[in-house]
Amino acid sequence: LTQAAGEGSAATEVEPKAYVDALLEVHAKNQETVNRSFKGEAGFVASLDRACKDFVNKNAATGTSSTKSPELLAKHADALLRKNNKVGEDNDLEDALNKVMILFKYIEDKDVFQTFYTTKLSKRLIHGVSASDEAEASMIAKLKEACGFEYTNKLQRMFTDMSLSKDLTDNFKEKMAQTHDETELDVSFSVMVLGTNFWPLTAPTDKFVIPKDILPTYERFTRYYGQKHQGRKLTWLWNYSKNELRTNYLKEKYILTCSSYQMAVLVQYNDHDTLSLDELLEATGISKEILVQVLGVLVKAKILINEEQDQYDLNPSYKSKKIRVNLNLPIKAEVKAESADVLKTVDEDRKYVIQATIVRVMKARKQMKNQQLIQEVIAQISQRFTPRVPDIKKAIDTLLEKEYIERVEGQRDLFNYVA
């Protein structure tokens, strides 16, 4: 594990596969000892489980962080479930997922794993890079068996949304073909309408200017959806959308796969050969921090040339060995924000889980002492994560303020449930 972490390097740099392999190696070695030398005797099996629980959650690679292990395990599962995984056969993938579940059993903060897993699944589905629906369903079934329906409810709803979105896109295209001339429908378009409560996606904060090339399609779909589902509001997630552009200014007609932000920049060059950073900021509405990184990718790919400061020219001599060029690479701001956003979400969710558990316990018991209440809350939540006593006390204070519970007069450590 020290090697997996890298000698003296920060835990954030740990490679998920190396970390998981190291943990599995230690587990397998000790499990073999228990089975061979102690004939799988129950007491030794229980001792191994206790030791693994400590070791999996806190080790040389995680340092003092209790969230690092579930994060790395979720990232490893994500790598396995992607199209470009290094796993050969379907049976090998199933075996690899079973090994993930061996370690998952010992993870204390299962809510951290759940949130990272949900975030990674959303990206796989949006970008269409899942290894297979069967493998995804198999992993969800394993998590459901380990933690129950509630743990996987959001994951299953995400697949439902994908299926409904395909039908919605087909119906929209059918309707447009009936009401519009073929020349008006020159942009090939598919949409995913995803439920806010089930997808861990963040809407962009910038005032994105929709390029005139796709504006008619955007307006047609917005009208169509508004008529079909009155009262529902669409929030367009341009930061997750992707596009394909064809180069008509070069001898070779390349297909550029790009993000919506990259597309918004590149279509400006339909009318200009050179643009300044300020002109691009105004034309696209993208924040400066993001736009500079978007331009950096386009310059590195040699689509744009940046010879003068804050001046970007279209490269008239662009060449690529591939006809289809993928420019849609994650930018630093997005990668860095993901882990921070996930852990922030986990903290917020935990507050509500603790409060809901206190209310549920008090509703059943009507009256409880402070210490008993804390112990009962820990017992009920510990399958999901290990709650801290200060967080429980803070939740009790919040519920006293909201008048869900009240102190018994004359006794500071005794609470009544307020119906």
Side-chain angles (χ1 to χ4, degrees), residues 53-73:
K53 194 169 186 179
D54 286 346
F55 178 65
V56 165
N57 290 289
K58 293 275 174 69
N59 50 60
T62 64
T64 56
S65 170
S66 65
T67 61
K68 202 71 207 168
S69 230
E71 177 184 345
L72 289 167
L73 188 61

Side-chain angles (χ1 to χ4, degrees), residues 290-306:
I290 300 291
L291 183 60
V292 166
Q293 293 186 56
V294 167
L295 289 166
V297 172
L298 296 175
V299 169
K300 190 176 179 183
K302 298 181 179 173
I303 301 279
L304 299 181
I305 300 168
N306 174 218

Side-chain angles (χ1 to χ4, degrees), residues 21 49 99 124 152-153 170 172 175 184 192 200 226 228 234 237 278 292 301 311 317 335 344 349 361 370 375 410 412:
D21 286 348
D49 282 346
K99 286 178 178 174
R124 291 198 298 277
T152 57
N153 183 32
D170 291 344
F172 170 69
K175 179 79 172 171
E184 293 180 85
M192 297 175 199
K228 193 175 174 69
L234 284 176
L237 304 176
D278 286 341
V292 166
Q311 198 69 30
S317 311
V335 175
K344 188 179 173 185
D349 287 348
V361 169
N370 184 52
Q375 293 305 319
R412 280 197 59 77

